Amino acid sequence: MRRNLLFGLIALTAVLVLASWPDGLIAQGKVVKIGLSLPLTGADADGADAILKGAQMAMNEINTKGGVAGYKLEAQVFDSATPAAGQYDPAQAATNYKKFVADSLTLAAVGPVMSGEGKAISPILSEADMATITPSSTNPDITDPKFQSQYRPKGKAVYFRTVTTDAYQGPNMANYLFHQQKMKSVYVLDDGGAFGVGIADSFQKRAGELGVKVLGRDRLDPKEADYKTILTKIKGLNPDALYYGGVMQAAAKLAPQGYEVMPRVIKAGSDGVYDLSWPKQSGKEAVEGWFCSQASPELVTSPKVEAWVTKFKKEMKRDPTNYAITSYNAVYVIADAIERTAPKKPLTRANLRDAIQETKLSSIQGPIAFDANGDILTKTVSIYQWRDGEIKYVAVAPEK
Amino acid sequence: MHTLDVLLQQVVNGLALGMMYALLALGFTMVYGIIELINFAHFSVFMTGTFVGLMVLNLMGVTAVSASLQGPALVGTLIVLFLATMVATGVLGVLIERICLRPVRHVSGTAPMITTIGVAFILINIMLLTWGPQAQRFPQLLPNWRWGVGGAEISFKQIVLFVVGLLLMLALWHLVQRTTLGKAMRATAQDADAARMMGIDVDRVVVVTFFLGSALAGAGSLFFGLYYGFTGYYIGYTTGLRAFTSAVLGGIGSIPGAVLGGLLIGLTQSLGGQFLGVKWTDVIIFSILIIVMVLRPNGLLGTRTPQKA
């Protein structure tokens, strides 16, 4: 009998726990955790580090002021890169987001950094009714209603962005190279990642529309060391420009070998190569002249943000990037949503998501508001060039 | 550039690449030839070698990326660099054999092979933790001289890679075919038990094999660093897998086979990239491997090994 009683108690407890599971998502102990899954190791570590520190600075500020609506913010940080991949790993990102979902105190997330991760984690978020705010991933498919069944099966937007998408970033770079650099022919490369393929596609499409001759398209294996084969082939085609859609692992090798094989060709990439460690990884002379872009307005050199930059350098002991600022703002979007939700409704993931959808925030990057898919309404793309080992702001990319 | 010039350039590129694969393939083939073990740790020994080379250079005070050493200073630095790195990777290979493989050598099945995969990952993670995740630049010791060959270019680095690579291979060939130690190695490869009965110290032969194979991987890693100008903890995998394929293609266990396989894979990679696109590289390489395996199961130069008891 005693044994049956024990069994009964265990069963009862299990039933109670299961029944209360959805409500278990209500934050307790006056702490809200924000999930941060970033490729903190691997080739893109420097960019990810800047993004992490942007978010941490925002959380520190908020907590120093006593938190938001009585809640302290706490970062829950996981690495999304694996040694086997040598860079971000979508499967690891998915594992990390499942951990966020399993922690009842984690109500929203900042990230991911890479679109390849975004594609893997968006359905997990949709299932959990949990919002994430990406400060840097720009592949348009993730938020495109066309792919709703794939990336947000439950319908509501869960993937919000404080940057615009490659629907603007790739084409606007093509516009810039065509109008300002007189590009007449181009060879397009990507790195096989979701982001790289997507942005190279959108660049290539726009270049074709502008009447630029697309001489070819190929895909780099980021783990390959030797790009001389493809560069020799490209050199034989004699293009005005080379466009690379992708992130740092391939770029670190593409730059020095490209410099060796064809030093005089115009070379351009995206925000995937806006990485302050590039000259260190590839050599100052190798990155000289490369163009890159950001899916945000230029902020770090803007006089409006000067005080912020000084504070960031002092507190975080490194140089900021624009995506450190979009990441900083992503935390403020979540804090603002908590502030609007807490007094009226229980603080759940779903309610917080609804509040984020309604965001109207004025931030240091300008106004932040989202469309029904989670994309930011401001769509500015900035162009940069590497000169003498430093990344210099050039212009806002033409929209046509 | 003319089409023919591009083609010629791709052949030069492919042969240089192939030489690097060949140096690595030798390590796979030697270990397999002696104890029939596919040593996946070889990938990581190669990768570790690049970092050992970096450390040796740093110790000698060469830290600048484009080092301006010339004449005797350059030759001296290179000799010390190659000797120190090859000895270090050789010793690493011996340690791996002694600590991780000898205790499981008599275990049948896949245990020893899995052990080598484990060792590979341990080395990868040690390098990741000590050197960090990003690509490290490797000092460019060799001058950037280039010569026109028709419309193509051949660089000094490529010539060095070729000459030194060939010399190392000839030395190995001589050792295996013409010395007593080589005779012992060949005897062990044919039948370890019979070799032991003839008074050959099989354990010692295995240790020497690991030392030589790993030292060649060390040389290969230095070529990698000097040629590409970078290293990273993840470089072992792709290069290692292609080198392993080269060894199998040429006939695993055969030293000339490893060299032939390496050069073939290098050429396949560069010509395949030229005509079909580099995104097809692995498809092409492994298709050729499968075709050769189906038609000649022992590889191009492999011979049917005597059945072991």
Side-chain angles (χ1 to χ4, degrees):
Chain A
M1 281 304 285
R2 272 180 71 101
R3 215 168 130 175
N4 281 346
L5 188 66
L6 192 64
F7 242 96
L9 273 175
I10 291 173
L12 187 66
T13 317
V15 167
L16 281 176
V17 167
L18 282 176
S20 68
W21 187 247
D23 296 327
L25 300 180
I26 299 169
Q28 298 142 6
K30 291 292 183 186
V31 165
V32 170
K33 286 193 196 168
I34 296 180
L36 283 149
S37 160
L38 313 147
L40 293 167
T41 56
D44 307 290
D46 187 71
D49 182 60
I51 287 170
L52 172 66
K53 292 196 165 135
Q56 279 172 337
M57 182 161 135
M59 288 190 215
N60 291 349
E61 273 179 18
I62 291 164
N63 288 338
T64 319
K65 286 182 195 150
V68 52
Y71 291 91
K72 293 263 182 194
L73 300 183
E74 194 181 305
Q76 190 177 23
V77 185
F78 295 128
D79 187 359
S80 65
T82 54
Q87 59 174 0
Y88 74 93
D89 183 341
Q92 185 60 44
T95 307
N96 294 347
Y97 271 80
K98 281 183 183 151
K99 283 192 204 157
F100 295 154
V101 170
D103 187 332
S104 63
L105 290 180
T106 308
L107 300 188
V110 172
V113 173
M114 301 292 175
S115 299
E117 304 171 88
K119 289 191 167 176
I121 60 105
S122 189
I124 298 171
L125 290 171
S126 182
E127 213 51 56
D129 261 331
M130 177 167 153
T132 197
I133 300 168
T134 176
S136 66
S137 73
T138 50
N139 183 286
D141 296 355
I142 307 168
T143 47
D144 192 331
K146 224 173 26 185
F147 300 108
Q148 183 177 320
S149 60
Q150 205 171 339
Y151 298 125
R152 48 181 152 114
K154 279 174 89 179
K156 286 184 172 176
V158 284
Y159 201 88
F160 296 90
R161 311 189 204 235
T162 49
V163 287
T164 189
T165 69
D166 299 340
Y168 302 90
Q169 194 181 193
N172 291 12
M173 176 60 97
N175 294 338
Y176 172 78
L177 293 178
F178 177 72
H179 293 300
Q180 309 296 324
Q181 301 295 328
K182 310 292 168 224
M183 166 180 74
K184 298 274 184 295
S185 60
V186 66
Y187 196 97
V188 182
L189 289 172
D190 66 64
D191 70 349
F195 161 74
V197 175
I199 195 163
D201 283 347
S202 69
F203 174 92
Q204 188 175 343
K205 182 161 170 275
R206 180 66 189 147
E209 286 166 10
L210 288 164
V212 174
K213 200 168 173 202
V214 179
L215 295 169
R217 168 74 181 269
D218 210 337
R219 183 155 299 158
L220 301 173
D221 173 359
K223 285 207 184 142
E224 173 71 70
D226 191 283
Y227 295 152
K228 283 186 179 149
T229 296
I230 184 65
L231 287 165
T232 301
K233 177 180 176 178
I234 297 172
K235 188 187 177 192
L237 296 168
N238 212 5
D240 290 341
L242 169 70
Y243 183 79
Y244 165 67
V247 294
M248 287 308 294
Q249 196 176 27
K253 292 159 277 186
L254 184 64
Q257 294 180 35
Y259 172 68
E260 204 180 315
V261 177
M262 41 183 191
R264 279 180 294 277
V265 172
I266 301 167
K267 301 177 192 93
S270 57
D271 56 350
V273 296
Y274 185 106
D275 186 301
L276 302 185
S277 72
W278 202 12
K280 209 177 129 233
Q281 293 196 52
S282 300
K284 213 171 91 173
E285 68 291 340
V287 302
E288 183 71 19
W290 269 82
F291 290 101
C292 53
S293 56
Q294 294 269 269
S296 71
E298 163 59 10
L299 299 166
V300 284
T301 59
S302 143
K304 274 190 298 185
V305 187
E306 212 180 298
W308 186 93
V309 169
T310 315
K311 190 176 172 210
F312 183 91
K313 281 184 183 166
K314 193 172 144 241
E315 285 182 10
M316 297 298 156
K317 315 244 175 315
R318 60 159 291 146
D319 285 335
T321 59
N322 288 307
Y323 291 170
I325 298 178
T326 53
S327 166
Y328 171 87
N329 287 336
V331 172
Y332 270 97
V333 167
I334 296 172
D336 169 65
I338 295 173
E339 200 167 7
R340 285 182 284 120
T341 310
K344 288 181 261 171
K345 293 183 205 159
L347 202 54
T348 61
R349 286 170 180 161
N351 289 340
L352 204 52
R353 191 220 69 86
D354 292 345
I356 289 171
Q357 179 72 71
E358 302 302 321
T359 297
K360 279 188 181 47
L361 190 66
S362 89
S363 74
I364 55 172
Q365 74 179 85
I368 296 177
F370 305 107
D371 67 14
N373 302 316
D375 288 339
I376 193 168
L377 296 179
T378 327
K379 307 191 188 300
T380 313
V381 174
S382 314
I383 303 285
Y384 300 80
Q385 189 177 28
W386 283 96
R387 288 178 197 153
D388 209 19
E390 282 182 38
I391 204 159
K392 298 283 185 211
Y393 173 59
V394 178
V396 170
E399 283 172 36
K400 280 181 184 148
Chain B
M1 280 174 96
H2 271 279
T3 322
L4 265 182
D5 298 337
V6 173
L7 208 61
L8 186 60
Q9 186 68 58
Q10 296 291 25
V11 170
V12 171
N13 291 347
L15 287 175
L17 196 58
M19 208 57 179
M20 202 136 34
Y21 292 153
L23 274 176
L24 262 182
L26 285 172
F28 281 116
T29 239
M30 283 173 70
V31 168
Y32 186 87
I34 303 284
I35 52 172
E36 289 198 334
L37 166 75
I38 295 170
N39 176 19
F40 284 103
H42 201 60
F43 292 14
S44 294
V45 170
F46 161 75
M47 180 275 297
T48 308
T50 59
F51 287 103
V52 173
L54 263 183
M55 280 196 290
V56 172
L57 284 174
N58 288 347
L59 283 178
M60 286 193 290
V62 185
T63 47
V65 167
S66 25
S68 53
L69 292 173
Q70 278 167 347
L74 175 61
V75 175
T77 309
L78 282 176
I79 290 174
V80 174
L81 175 66
F82 271 85
L83 278 180
T85 307
M86 288 171 72
V87 168
T89 50
V91 169
L92 179 63
V94 170
L95 286 178
I96 291 172
E97 195 276 331
R98 192 66 196 81
I99 298 169
C100 312
L101 292 175
R102 196 177 296 180
V104 291
R105 199 195 299 157
H106 303 291
V107 180
S108 61
T110 50
M113 196 179 78
I114 300 293
T115 307
T116 65
I117 296 177
V119 172
F121 275 98
I122 290 170
L123 285 175
I124 288 174
N125 282 288
I126 289 175
M127 291 302 135
L128 171 62
L129 290 170
T130 47
W131 287 87
Q134 287 165 342
Q136 299 284 329
R137 303 204 61 207
F138 202 93
Q140 293 301 284
L141 290 176
L142 300 176
N144 231 338
W145 298 327
R146 293 140 178 283
W147 294 278
V149 181
E153 269 183 344
I154 187 160
S155 68
F156 180 64
K157 286 183 204 168
Q158 286 169 329
I159 292 174
V160 170
L161 173 56
F162 246 87
V163 173
V164 182
L166 276 179
L167 285 178
L168 283 171
M169 287 169 199
L170 283 176
L172 181 68
W173 180 246
H174 177 81
L175 179 101
V176 172
Q177 296 297 329
R178 299 269 182 275
T179 63
T180 330
L181 178 65
K183 208 179 219 174
M185 285 167 82
R186 281 179 287 139
T188 309
Q190 273 180 15
D191 191 331
D193 289 332
R196 193 175 285 117
M197 278 185 259
M198 291 294 136
I200 292 172
D201 184 348
V202 171
D203 281 345
R204 189 168 150 263
V205 169
V206 172
V207 162
V208 169
T209 307
F210 267 85
F211 182 86
L212 289 176
S214 305
L216 285 174
S221 70
L222 292 177
F223 285 128
F224 183 97
L226 292 171
Y227 190 61
Y228 292 115
F230 85 100
T231 182
Y233 68 93
Y234 53 82
I235 61 159
Y237 182 75
T238 310
T239 316
L241 195 61
R242 303 251 169 86
F244 173 62
T245 312
S246 308
V248 176
L249 183 68
I252 196 151
S254 154
I255 288 176
V259 178
L260 178 71
L263 293 178
L264 276 179
I265 295 281
L267 281 174
T268 306
Q269 191 178 333
S270 69
L271 294 176
Q274 174 67 32
F275 291 113
L276 288 172
V278 289
K279 61 183 161 194
W280 297 106
T281 298
D282 280 327
V283 176
I284 301 166
I285 288 178
F286 289 105
S287 302
I288 289 182
L289 176 75
I290 289 169
I291 292 168
V292 170
M293 285 295 102
V294 168
L295 297 177
R296 283 187 67 90
N298 291 308
L300 291 173
L301 299 184
T303 44
R304 192 164 292 278
T305 42
Q307 204 63 45
K308 296 201 172 180

